[in-house]
Amino acid sequence: MPKVTREDIPNWFQRKTGFNVDVEELKKAAELDRIACADEPMKMMRDLWGITPRDCEKLLGAPSRTVEMWFHKDASRPPSWVVRLIVEKCAELHERRLQREKKRR
């Protein structure tokens, strides 16, 4: 039996269930999950999307001191549900930035 990879899952799921699954949305969700589950999700978002602590402050309405601690200290990592929320919000911010950049061209 051939090994199933992550890339095969959406197509396999569609064939087996007949559900209309948006493969791009599923891939996007998997990418966000990968970032949220990383050892240093804040650092990964900064490297991938250019998200700064200041961006998170504005986006979440969180105090600057708290956000700085999330970005720079391992011991002060927020709870997992907060990390997922931050990743989702930052992904939306990144998408908006990309759309603005495309419009300028």
Side-chain angles (χ1 to χ4, degrees):
M1 186 164 172
K3 184 177 180 182
V4 177
T5 64
R6 282 184 117 170
E7 298 298 319
D8 298 329
I9 291 173
N11 296 328
W12 175 86
F13 184 76
Q14 284 177 315
R15 284 193 304 269
K16 291 291 182 188
T17 62
F19 287 168
N20 186 13
V21 176
D22 184 356
V23 175
E24 291 305 314
E25 283 296 316
L26 199 55
K27 286 181 182 178
K28 181 179 173 184
E31 177 67 12
L32 294 181
D33 190 53
R34 181 182 72 83
I35 294 169
C37 294
D39 289 336
E40 296 181 23
M42 303 299 193
K43 182 178 179 183
M44 188 177 273
M45 287 188 299
R46 184 175 52 226
D47 294 344
L48 289 175
W49 300 332
I51 302 292
T52 64
R54 189 84 170 147
D55 293 331
C56 280
E57 289 173 33
K58 291 177 183 175
L59 197 63
L60 303 170
S64 60
R65 191 173 185 182
T66 303
V67 174
E68 285 290 333
M69 286 175 29
W70 289 346
F71 267 82
H72 300 294
K73 295 183 182 175
D74 294 333
S76 64
R77 184 175 175 179
S80 60
W81 69 270
V82 175
V83 171
R84 290 186 185 280
L85 175 68
I86 292 169
V87 170
E88 288 176 17
K89 295 286 185 183
C90 288
E92 291 171 9
L93 175 66
H94 179 66
E95 287 293 321
R96 287 195 306 262
R97 285 179 177 173
L98 289 177
Q99 290 173 356
R100 269 190 260 138
E101 199 174 287
K102 286 180 183 177
K103 286 181 182 179
R104 288 182 188 163
R105 292 179 187 173

